[in-house]
Amino acid sequence: MTRTADVWKERPRPKIDRQYGPLLEGRWVPAPRFVLRRDRVLAAAADLPLGMVMEIGCGSGALLREFAQRGHQCLGVETSTHARALAGEMLDAFPTARVVASLADEPSAEADLLISCEVLEHIEDDRDALAQWVANLRPGGRLILSVPAHTRMWGITDVWAGHVRRYSRTDLLRLAREVGLLVERIECYGFPLSNLTALLANRSLKGKGLAGGGNSQAQATAASGVDRSVHIRHFSLQTSLPGRFIMKMACLLQRAFLSTDWGDGFVMIARRP
């Protein structure tokens, strides 16, 4: 992606926060739940040899950039025009990373690691979608999939984001079996901080409509990964010394509860035989 000097003046390069990773100041910042999920995704991929990393629904491209920084070839798939623009900025410095609108644009792409975070819950036919993604995963390749957990936790934030459902462990195991995946483990992440922030978000979003001011589930889905209007206002608290300490402790504390069902999100790690 080429840009003129004037555009660079208007759009500063991504900033790398020592604790939270890449961000675009004033436009996209990592929300607390993103930070907690990132902790688990990076841990699940810590031993990954260099290869092709594909992220379905890459949003701002922040997570994918971290894999590009490690030396992986990276492919982001993102249907939202706005999100693709942000991801293009995030990945601009990495010639081996690119973002496309559809898997159909890269029919021969074969991933060593396929990541999808908070995407499947937006799709009516989740089994068919997951089967299509797995088809782009090489035999022996790894899948890291995150979704919101527990139907009992359905709330205003789910409607705001354009979700169709939440998942149980049983749901994920069934889906994995139906598309031929071998599940290594399922972690329930976020407890206790994400449970608290979910309650606060449900209150703050009451009466606020859909993500990005959308008028439909599809528009809310397109905006939900990059609408950080609330989090940008409070990000200075997250980057204060107390905020950094709380987030660091929350990332550590959640690890003690991954085998429980106490958190508000699941991360599934699986392989294609």
Side-chain angles (χ1 to χ4, degrees):
M1 181 181 293
T2 59
R3 295 180 176 86
T4 65
D6 288 341
V7 172
W8 277 118
K9 290 178 182 177
E10 296 173 5
R11 300 297 195 193
R13 292 175 183 269
K15 176 181 176 181
I16 309 301
D17 185 275
R18 67 183 186 278
Q19 182 174 352
Y20 301 132
L23 57 94
L24 294 166
E25 287 187 296
R27 291 179 292 145
W28 187 90
V29 297
R33 192 167 187 269
F34 176 94
V35 175
L36 293 166
R37 182 172 65 247
R38 168 180 173 266
D39 175 75
R40 301 315 310 151
V41 171
L42 294 181
D47 63 343
L48 183 72
L50 291 182
M52 166 64 78
V53 176
M54 180 186 301
E55 185 176 6
I56 307 294
C58 66
S60 70
L63 185 61
L64 201 58
R65 180 186 171 113
E66 298 200 66
F67 284 94
Q69 288 173 330
R70 295 180 179 187
H72 296 280
Q73 293 185 339
C74 294
L75 175 65
V77 181
E78 178 53 64
T79 59
S80 164
T81 303
H82 180 207
R84 279 201 310 277
L86 292 178
E89 292 183 50
M90 279 285 193
L91 297 167
D92 187 76
F94 300 92
T96 60
R98 60 196 187 280
V99 183
V100 297
S102 167
L103 276 174
D105 297 329
E106 296 283 342
S108 62
E110 191 175 60
D112 298 286
L113 171 64
L114 192 148
I115 304 170
S116 184
C117 297
E118 315 300 292
V119 176
L120 201 62
E121 68 274 11
H122 293 268
I123 302 173
E124 287 285 355
D125 192 345
D126 54 352
R127 181 193 179 281
D128 183 65
L130 185 57
Q132 290 181 39
W133 301 350
V134 171
N136 286 87
L137 187 63
R138 69 164 179 81
R142 188 180 309 175
L143 169 79
I144 301 176
L145 175 75
S146 80
V147 293
H150 314 311
T151 300
R152 68 177 184 272
M153 288 188 171
W154 182 271
I156 293 171
T157 54
D158 294 288
V159 177
W160 174 87
H163 292 173
V164 175
R165 68 184 72 77
R166 283 176 166 262
Y167 290 84
S168 66
R169 287 181 186 269
T170 301
D171 294 331
L172 289 176
L173 289 169
R174 172 183 52 78
L175 277 172
R177 182 179 65 251
E178 289 176 352
V179 301
L181 288 168
L182 299 177
V183 176
E184 294 184 350
R185 65 183 184 275
I186 297 176
E187 301 178 349
C188 191
Y189 77 93
F191 183 84
L193 181 63
S194 192
N195 301 60
L196 175 60
T197 58
L199 289 173
L200 296 175
N202 278 322
R203 291 181 180 179
S204 66
L205 291 173
K206 188 174 182 179
K208 297 293 179 64
L210 302 178
N215 296 313
S216 67
Q217 187 265 343
Q219 290 177 351
T221 291
S224 61
V226 290
D227 185 342
R228 289 292 191 268
S229 52
V230 173
H231 301 101
I232 287 170
R233 292 200 300 270
H234 301 296
F235 193 59
S236 60
L237 296 176
Q238 193 172 315
T239 55
S240 66
L241 287 178
R244 289 186 182 279
F245 178 78
I246 289 170
M247 287 307 308
K248 183 176 182 178
M249 290 300 102
C251 285
L252 293 173
L253 184 59
Q254 71 174 346
R255 300 176 191 180
F257 301 96
L258 296 175
S259 62
T260 74
D261 279 346
W262 294 3
D264 78 333
F266 285 121
V267 173
M268 180 174 74
I269 299 93
R271 290 187 182 272
R272 180 180 179 183

